[in-house]
Amino acid sequence: MARISPRDLVHGATLRRLALPALVVVLGLQMLRVYIPSLAWYLRDTVGVGSITLGGIAFATFALGFLAPLVRRLAGSRGALWASAGGLAALRVLEQFSSSPGLDLYVSLAAVALFLIFLGAFVGHSRAADGTGAPARLVGGLILGLALDTLIKGAGGTLDLSWTPTIGAVIVVLALAAGVLWAIAVEPAPLRSAASDVGWSSALPLAGIGSIFLVQAMLLQNQGWVAEVSGIPSPTAFVVLVFGNAALAAGAWLALARPALHRLGVAALAALLLYVALPRTTGFGGTLPLMVLVLQFTLGWALAIIARRGEEPSRTGLARTSVGMTLGMLLYLLLAFVYYVPFDIALPLTRSSVLPLASFVVAVCLLGSLRRGEPRAPQSDPTTPTAAIALAVLGSVIVLLTPSPAPSDREPTGRVMTFNIHSAFDRAGRLDPEAIAQVIEAADPDVVALQEVSRGWLIDGTVDLTYWLARRLGMHVVFSGTADPIWGNALLSRRPLQESGSAPLPVAGTLLPRGFLWTRLDLGFDRPLLVIATHLHHVADEPEPRLEQIPVLLEFWGGQERTILMGDLNAEPDWPEMQLMRQAGLVDSWAEAGEGPGLTWPSDDPFQRIDYIWLSPDLQALTAKVIDSTASDHRAVVAEIAPR
């Protein structure tokens, strides 16, 4: 048996060729995760721009990808790489040093536009420079870029480097940017007469790449999603993701190395699997980790076939290729828009249609990429899957070596807190979970009810806040999604959670589903304490939904002793909603022990008291205070409680 050496598994020349697209994908995805939250939280929430206007700005930004042919014509093939990838690298470094949400927005807008121009320009450049090796280079670069991006995010506890003001983050960003510049510098310049574009039937299937990117962002590279749906710890979900990327690379390798499998029957089965399984990931439960591997393998196979459709360029220029790539990314944006905007504005399409549509697009592009005739020559270079496996092993080692702070075993203080954390975006519109952690740390509560908690929404920067905060503070955590599996309420506790559960609240004609979360824990009283955390309908002049939601909470409470009900109730103390709470026998901790009006919203200049800690009649509030902080758009409320 022939002995296999490392050189047989990793080809240095191939790795060098993959470096440019892989590193640019990492930087591009990082800037997308700055740009999209900046639109939602800075431009909309802080500045006050409407959702429809935001959509127009976002679509105009993505449409700049159509400029790739013009940039290539003006600067040449290699010059277009310098302009797009080099410009992206420079902007990424600039953004790392920014602490201004406004600057973040404009820098990320320009960076995303350059990233989209690069995608089209690179495909044309690679066809002209690499010939029939161009599809493998594109696919390998995209996959290793996704794998490296997930590795970097997972190593940071799912928080992007952009929001991590440490010297280590700066070093990594500088290294990534330097790698991009080096890769461009060693990139050969193809002949201007070399063919670089394809016909429409080969260019349009490239639109499927945008939907693949969306599925990756929302599901298959989403650590919080996999953890929450499958019920596994977030670090374990990270291991699933990195090995999922190895499966993605393996599927692509199979498609490139075994072109005889490019048959309609095989492709139809793959398309059917994607269309049926991707929209139903919430139903897989504990088997989701296995399905991630299966789906990633299938998507890798599909991606390689889509890329090979344009293996034989027939003309100079870049127009058709640019249209295919940019249409795909516009579809990425459109589907993301359709998923998140209905929480604010009713649209003809529902959120539940997003993943079926994305899966359908990938399936159509896969089937449209098949061609009749003799199979293409096999390309069996194992560099991409080997590198992906190496990154997966490295990710596993990081998990094993990363300590998990154990919750303190101190004596309870009886101090409780409620805090609407605004998805960890501060009043200025910048993502800063460290500021949230510092507010909680300074108050030093035994238990904290959190509202507006994201475990990985794209518009929230895809950070898993439950994992990040629990690890940062050394606390137990339990979470319950309300809007979808990864956005809702959470409870942090320094004491072990004896049991917990959750339930939905009436939607009552609103757009954003609500729910409540409960747990029992020992705070040193004569019996365990029942803690209920909730977040009610937010529109002030629409009391009807809250008047339907509160009776459900009161029915669950059922007059039990040793109970705390707290959260963002979105109602003033003298409104009918809060009168229901008092009539049921609950005691407002602020009315009992607070001083002054206790205003909590908005945090920079509050004029409403809408955040509460309610107690069962057998408990009393010894102290109550509102914490002056703009880490969120709400101020936190803290009370020290004891039995009467």
Side-chain angles (χ1 to χ4, degrees), residues 302-638:
L303 177 61
I305 291 179
I306 289 171
R308 290 206 79 170
R309 186 68 175 88
E311 186 175 77
E312 299 172 354
S314 57
R315 66 200 74 203
T316 58
L318 199 59
R320 292 167 176 80
T321 295
S322 175
V323 168
M325 291 294 293
T326 305
L327 282 178
M329 294 307 293
L330 283 169
L331 187 58
Y332 166 103
L333 179 64
L334 175 63
L335 292 176
F337 191 81
V338 170
Y339 189 85
Y340 293 110
V341 168
F343 291 122
D344 184 51
I345 299 173
L347 295 178
L349 289 175
T350 63
R351 290 186 299 108
S352 61
S353 66
V354 169
L355 289 174
L357 284 173
S359 306
F360 179 75
V361 170
V362 176
V364 168
C365 291
L366 166 60
L367 295 173
S369 297
L370 297 174
R371 72 170 192 175
R372 297 177 181 177
E374 292 295 321
R376 293 180 170 91
Q379 299 179 9
S380 55
D381 188 332
T383 300
T384 295
T386 302
I389 291 170
L391 292 175
V393 172
L394 178 58
S396 302
V397 171
I398 289 172
V399 169
L400 291 174
L401 296 181
T402 301
S404 297
S408 63
D409 195 23
R410 68 171 196 192
E411 288 298 314
T413 63
R415 196 174 302 118
V416 300
M417 169 189 278
T418 182
F419 196 6
N420 181 326
I421 64 171
H422 202 227
S423 295
F425 283 82
D426 63 23
R427 188 61 177 146
R430 182 172 172 81
L431 180 61
D432 190 0
E434 176 59 28
I436 298 293
Q438 289 178 10
V439 170
I440 297 172
E441 197 169 46
D444 195 25
D446 291 327
V447 61
V448 189
L450 301 177
Q451 303 87 47
E452 294 191 21
V453 183
S454 171
R455 294 205 68 180
W457 268 13
L458 183 59
I459 60 170
D460 295 334
T462 70
V463 60
D464 182 356
L465 286 172
T466 60
Y467 169 60
W468 194 94
L469 288 170
R471 188 177 75 163
R472 164 65 176 80
L473 295 166
M475 300 178 77
H476 301 281
V477 65
V478 62
F479 171 85
S480 175
T482 57
D484 71 0
I486 58 171
W487 190 94
N489 304 309
L491 281 163
L492 292 169
S493 174
R494 297 201 182 278
R495 307 291 295 173
L497 305 176
Q498 297 179 359
E499 59 177 330
S500 60
S502 62
L505 291 172
V507 176
T510 63
L511 298 175
L512 182 58
R514 305 289 185 175
F516 67 94
L517 174 66
W518 62 270
T519 190
R520 294 187 190 274
L521 68 161
D522 178 13
L523 284 193
F525 301 162
D526 57 345
R527 73 195 79 164
L529 188 73
L530 172 63
V531 180
I532 305 170
T534 192
H535 186 192
L536 303 186
H537 178 58
H538 64 289
V539 180
D541 59 0
E542 295 178 2
E544 294 82 7
R546 291 187 292 273
L547 290 171
E548 290 190 38
Q549 292 165 350
I550 288 174
V552 175
L553 291 169
L554 296 176
E555 181 181 3
F556 175 79
W557 168 49
Q560 298 177 71
E561 295 184 340
R562 301 294 191 263
T563 298
I564 303 174
L565 192 160
M566 53 184 173
D568 175 5
L569 305 187
N570 280 307
E572 294 266 26
D574 58 347
W575 291 5
E577 300 95 301
M578 296 302 95
Q579 292 176 14
L580 287 178
M581 307 287 277
R582 283 187 287 270
Q583 290 168 5
L586 290 170
V587 177
D588 180 358
S589 63
W590 186 265
E592 184 171 56
E595 295 183 3
L599 304 177
T600 61
W601 186 88
S603 59
D604 54 345
D605 186 18
F607 60 86
Q608 284 189 311
R609 179 159 85 91
I610 58 176
D611 300 89
Y612 296 85
I613 298 174
W614 291 91
L615 310 175
S616 56
D618 59 305
L619 297 176
Q620 62 177 323
L622 304 178
T623 63
K625 66 177 181 178
V626 172
I627 298 177
D628 185 0
S629 168
T630 57
S632 167
D633 67 335
H634 286 245
R635 294 184 177 185
V637 181
V638 182

Side-chain angles (χ1 to χ4, degrees), residues 152-353:
I152 293 171
K153 277 192 84 247
T158 74
L159 184 64
D160 259 315
L161 297 175
S162 296
W163 318 111
T164 307
T166 64
I167 187 63
V170 171
I171 291 172
V172 173
V173 170
L174 289 174
L176 291 171
V180 168
L181 299 180
W182 166 81
I184 301 173
V186 300
E187 186 69 25
L191 296 174
R192 282 188 172 270
S193 59
S196 54
D197 204 1
V198 292
W200 287 114
S201 63
S202 298
L204 289 179
L206 290 172
I209 293 176
S211 291
I212 291 174
F213 270 138
L214 181 71
V215 167
Q216 298 293 333
M218 294 185 67
L219 302 180
L220 301 178
Q221 308 287 343
N222 194 318
Q223 189 169 322
W225 181 280
V226 173
E228 183 63 27
V229 171
S230 64
I232 60 178
S234 196
T236 306
F238 171 54
V239 175
V240 172
L241 297 190
V242 293
F243 278 98
N245 287 323
L248 185 70
W253 178 86
L254 181 67
L256 294 168
R258 300 290 184 269
L261 293 175
H262 298 191
R263 300 180 182 277
L264 179 60
V266 179
L269 286 174
L272 181 63
L273 172 64
L274 295 175
Y275 183 72
V276 171
L278 279 173
R280 294 169 174 81
T281 55
T282 54
F284 289 118
T287 63
L288 180 59
L290 175 61
M291 284 306 302
V292 168
L293 301 180
V294 173
L295 289 170
Q296 288 287 54
F297 183 89
T298 307
L299 279 170
W301 192 79
L303 177 61
I305 291 179
I306 289 171
R308 290 206 79 170
R309 186 68 175 88
E311 186 175 77
E312 299 172 354
S314 57
R315 66 200 74 203
T316 58
L318 199 59
R320 292 167 176 80
T321 295
S322 175
V323 168
M325 291 294 293
T326 305
L327 282 178
M329 294 307 293
L330 283 169
L331 187 58
Y332 166 103
L333 179 64
L334 175 63
L335 292 176
F337 191 81
V338 170
Y339 189 85
Y340 293 110
V341 168
F343 291 122
D344 184 51
I345 299 173
L347 295 178
L349 289 175
T350 63
R351 290 186 299 108
S352 61
S353 66

